[in-house]
């Protein structure tokens, strides 16, 4: 997992640093230096555990839960607390999209939930146990990864995520063009040709750089998928240890969430509870 996380994080940190330097260089010298120093100061503060709430609100586009939302989610939080899962703060996202996660654990015992989960819990479409299972799964995901300097890393890689989102939007806009998918599929062949041609022309560094970039388009997604599978399995086991595995499985099935047969079997496995010692009366 350490190697896989390094494969996914190293390009993001490097590209984000380069983009930040380029943007600051385009500004007037005094303003660019001030912006670079301010960005570095924010990262240091986040690494030291400061600015937690504003950072979570900005990075996840969320806000602290209102009193009405806390009243709705209070039984859910009490259910989790009774099972040994302590959630310190609850945030609610400002905007919900189809790809928005139902719940995400971030920072120091903070969980960010979608407004849809709060509304569904209030209406009774999602039971308290099901909402607790969703929040527990989010906590289990973070426990599986145990990220270090989580908020600082998220803030530092914001330029990378913005760039990826931009390229994905452009790709979707031009996906209708003929042979676009074929061209992306054959990018490995283009990379090999780039390396061979550059070496033949005594420009090996340029070819190797282009080939490395194309290789990363294979390595980073593959590493991300492996991390996702491992994290999901560990989070499922965490939910199962709390006795909420079948509840989570029922919730996912009801909302037609894609699940493999292995995951369904994993979530619905009954956890054997330790038997309590019995008292026997001894008659004299």
């Amino acid at each position: 997992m350490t190697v896989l996380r390094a494969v996914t994080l190293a390009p993001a940190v490097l590209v984000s640093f380069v983009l930040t330097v380029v943007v600051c260089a385009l500004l007037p010298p005094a303003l660019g230096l001030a912006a670079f120093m301010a960005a570095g100061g924010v990262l240091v503060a986040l690494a030291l555990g400061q600015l937690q709430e504003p950072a979570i609100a900005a990075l996840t586009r969320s806000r602290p839960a209102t009193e009405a939302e806390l009243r709705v989610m209070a039984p859910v939080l009490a259910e989790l607390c009774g099972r040994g899962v302590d959630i310190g703060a609850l945030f609610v996202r400002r905007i919900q999209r189809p790809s928005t996660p139902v719940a995400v654990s971030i920072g120091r015992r903070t969980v960010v939930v979608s407004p849809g989960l709060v509304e569904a819990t209030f209406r009774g479409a999602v039971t308290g146990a099901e909402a607790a299972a969703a929040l527990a799964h989010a906590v289990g995901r973070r426990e599986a990864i145990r990220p270090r300097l989580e908020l600082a890393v998220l803030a530092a890689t914001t330029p990378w995520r913005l760039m990826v989102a931009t390229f994905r939007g452009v790709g979707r806009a031009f996906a209708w063009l003929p042979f676009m998918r074929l061209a992306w599929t054959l990018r490995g062949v283009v990379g090999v040709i780039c390396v061979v041609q550059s070496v033949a022309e005594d420009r090996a560094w340029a070819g190797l750089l282009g080939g490395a970039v194309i290789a990363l388009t294979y390595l980073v997604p593959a590493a991300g998928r492996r991390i996702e599978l491992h994290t999901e399995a560990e989070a499922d086991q965490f939910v199962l240890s709390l006795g909420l595995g079948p509840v989570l499985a029922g919730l996912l099935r009801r909302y037609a969430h894609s699940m493999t047969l292995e995951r369904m079997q994993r979530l619905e496995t009954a956890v054997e509870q330790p038997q309590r010692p019995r008292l026997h009366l001894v008659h004299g």
Side-chain angles (χ1 to χ4, degrees):
M1 287 296 296
T2 302
V3 175
L4 292 176
R5 285 183 55 80
V7 170
T8 57
L9 286 179
V13 172
L14 178 61
V15 172
S16 297
F17 177 77
V18 172
L19 289 176
T20 302
V21 171
V22 170
V23 171
C24 292
L26 294 176
L27 298 174
L31 182 59
L33 179 60
F36 187 80
M37 296 299 293
V42 170
L43 293 182
V44 171
L46 292 175
L48 295 176
Q50 304 299 318
L51 306 176
Q52 294 281 309
E53 287 194 4
I56 292 173
L59 292 171
T60 61
R61 297 181 183 179
S62 62
R63 53 170 175 73
T66 63
E67 291 186 6
E69 291 167 337
L70 287 175
R71 282 197 297 268
V72 173
M73 300 300 292
V76 178
L77 300 180
E79 172 79 14
L80 289 174
C81 185
R83 296 175 183 268
V85 180
D86 184 18
I87 294 178
L90 187 69
F91 279 59
V92 180
R93 293 189 186 267
R94 298 180 183 274
I95 300 174
Q96 180 172 343
R97 296 185 175 89
S99 59
T100 301
V102 174
V104 173
S105 180
I106 186 173
R108 297 176 178 175
R109 301 185 298 113
T110 300
V111 174
V112 182
V113 299
S114 66
L117 178 63
V118 179
E119 181 181 353
T121 304
F122 173 73
R123 291 188 291 103
V126 173
T127 65
E130 291 173 338
L135 268 63
H137 195 268
V139 174
R141 291 180 67 89
R142 190 176 186 279
E143 290 294 322
I145 300 177
R146 295 185 179 276
R148 297 181 179 179
L149 307 177
E150 180 181 18
L151 293 177
V153 171
L154 286 175
T157 54
T158 297
W160 163 266
R161 293 196 302 277
L162 291 175
M163 185 189 71
V164 170
T166 301
F167 278 113
R168 284 179 177 173
V170 172
R172 285 193 295 267
F174 290 94
W176 59 272
L177 291 175
F179 303 112
M180 283 294 293
R181 188 177 297 275
L182 178 62
W184 177 253
T185 304
L186 297 177
R187 66 190 185 280
V189 178
V190 176
V192 173
I193 295 174
C194 176
V195 172
V196 172
Q197 183 176 357
S198 298
V199 171
E201 296 176 355
D202 293 330
R203 294 184 293 107
W205 64 270
L208 293 176
L209 180 60
V213 171
I214 294 177
L216 286 175
T217 63
Y218 290 97
L219 292 176
V220 173
R225 288 191 294 270
R226 289 289 301 275
I227 293 174
E228 175 63 23
L229 289 174
H230 171 79
T231 305
E232 184 179 80
E234 291 294 321
D236 288 346
Q237 290 297 332
F238 180 77
V239 174
L240 198 61
S241 68
L242 300 177
L244 295 172
V247 176
L248 180 61
L251 176 65
L252 296 177
R253 275 199 306 269
R254 192 166 74 251
Y255 283 89
H257 183 79
S258 177
M259 286 191 299
T260 62
L261 179 61
E262 290 77 7
R263 190 184 185 195
M264 286 190 289
Q265 292 175 341
R266 181 170 64 230
L267 286 174
E268 294 179 354
T269 300
V271 179
E272 295 184 0
Q273 301 293 337
Q275 295 183 353
R276 297 180 180 179
R278 298 180 179 179
L279 296 178
H280 298 275
L281 296 179
V282 178
H283 297 276

